[in-house]
Amino acid sequence: MEVCVDSVESAYKAELGGASRVELCANLMEGGTTPSLGMLKVIKEHVKIPVFCMLRPRGGDFLYTKEEMKVMIWDLNVLKEHGADGFVIGALTSDGSVDKEACKKLIDLAGQLPVTFHRAIDMCCDWRQALEDIISLGCHRVLTSGQDSSALEGLPTIKEMIQQSRGRITVMPAGGINERNVKRILDGCGAKEFHASARSLCQSAMLYKNSSVAMGASLSPDEFSHKVTDDKKVMNLVTIAMQVSSS
C-alpha cells in the first residue's frame, strides 16, 4: 500500500499503519504538487519507509512550459540530493499524448531512483498507447483510476491495463479507494499494489477562531480542520489487501 501524504503527521501515521511507501505532495486538494524540501527533510527524520516525491509545479493540466520544466528539474535535483527515494512524474503534449521528451529528461536525472508515472495517464486520449510509451520510458509504476472518477468506476480499464502490461510495469489503482471497496478493486483487477489517502478529519487546536475570514478562495475548506492520514484506516486497508493476496 502506498499512501499519499502532505504532512509529517500523515507520513508517520502511514508508516504506523503498515504502509509500504508514501507519496509526498503539497496541495492534495489540487491532486498534489511538489513538496517543500523542509517537508521531505523532516519526514525522512521520522519514517523509515521509502518517500517518493511528486514533481508537479502547479495544479491544473499536465502541459508544461519550458520554464515549468526548469522548475521540475531544479526540484528533482534538490530533492534527490536530500534523500528522496523516488519520484512521481507526468507530462503530456497538447494532443493528450505522453510527452516522452519531457518525461525522459526527468527520468534520466532521477538516475537509479524509481519513477512512477502519475494519473496524467487518465487524461490521455489513448491510454493503450500511453501505457506503451510509459513502459518504454522505463517507469517502474503507473498510477491510475482507469480514466474514470475513481478506481472502482474505472475497474474494467485498470484490469485491461494490467493485462496489457504483462508484468512490464506495476499498474497501481488509485482514486477513492477505501475499506469498503478495496477488496472488490483488488479482486477485480488483480493489482499487486494500490494507492490511497486513508485520511480522517482532524479538528484545529485553536482556541480563538475567526470564522469570518478564509485564507483561500471563496470555496475554500474549513480553516479550522484539516485531513490527516489515519493509521487505523491504513492498517485496515493493509489487512484486507493481505487477505486478498493470500486467498
Side-chain angles (χ1 to χ4, degrees), residues 33-245:
T33 56
T34 307
S36 73
L37 177 59
M39 185 68 73
L40 172 65
K41 289 283 287 180
V42 176
I43 285 176
K44 290 290 290 183
E45 292 172 4
H46 287 81
V47 306
K48 292 182 172 59
I49 58 176
V51 180
F52 282 23
C53 291
M54 172 71 78
L55 288 174
R56 189 181 176 211
R58 55 164 173 78
D61 63 35
F62 303 103
L63 178 64
Y64 297 118
T65 64
K66 291 180 180 179
E67 291 73 23
E68 288 171 330
M69 276 298 299
K70 287 182 181 179
V71 171
M72 286 191 282
I73 288 168
W74 273 99
D75 283 337
L76 187 155
N77 286 328
V78 172
L79 293 166
K80 180 181 177 181
E81 180 183 350
H82 287 87
D85 297 296
F87 292 99
V88 183
I89 71 164
L92 304 182
T93 59
S94 59
D95 66 356
S97 302
V98 173
D99 188 335
K100 292 186 285 186
E101 181 180 351
C103 290
K104 187 176 187 306
K105 287 180 182 178
L106 298 174
I107 291 167
D108 287 347
L109 287 171
Q112 297 301 310
L113 296 180
V115 174
T116 299
F117 194 94
H118 57 52
R119 288 182 62 198
I121 191 174
D122 293 326
M123 303 303 289
C124 288
C125 61
D126 181 351
W127 69 259
R128 291 176 177 82
Q129 182 59 53
L131 182 59
E132 293 302 322
D133 291 340
I134 293 164
I135 292 170
S136 71
L137 285 166
C139 290
H140 296 74
R141 295 176 180 84
V142 59
L143 190 66
T144 181
S145 62
Q147 294 210 315
D148 217 319
S149 57
S150 72
L152 187 60
E153 291 170 295
L155 190 56
T157 298
I158 296 172
K159 183 176 181 179
E160 285 189 60
M161 286 184 178
I162 292 173
Q163 291 170 341
Q164 179 176 318
S165 70
R166 300 190 305 279
R168 294 174 293 162
I169 192 171
T170 297
V171 177
M172 188 163 52
I177 297 180
N178 55 49
E179 296 144 291
R180 296 183 301 277
N181 61 28
V182 65
K183 184 178 187 301
R184 181 177 170 187
I185 290 168
L186 296 180
D187 278 338
C189 68
K192 302 302 181 185
E193 298 185 15
F194 68 100
H195 173 104
S197 62
R199 295 190 294 170
S200 292
L201 199 64
C202 179
Q203 294 300 322
S204 170
M206 286 292 296
L207 299 177
Y208 171 73
K209 301 178 181 179
N210 184 352
S211 58
S212 63
V213 178
M215 295 295 109
S218 58
L219 295 177
S220 61
D222 176 12
E223 297 291 345
F224 298 103
S225 67
H226 61 280
K227 290 186 176 181
V228 177
T229 298
D230 187 326
D231 55 293
K232 292 182 177 61
K233 287 187 176 183
V234 174
M235 193 177 300
N236 289 339
L237 282 164
V238 169
T239 300
I240 295 168
M242 290 177 67
Q243 290 170 349
V244 171
S245 178

Side-chain angles (χ1 to χ4, degrees), residues 17-32:
S20 304
R21 179 177 61 249
V22 295
E23 178 196 77
L24 177 59
C25 308
N27 301 312
L28 280 176
M29 288 191 66
E30 289 191 275

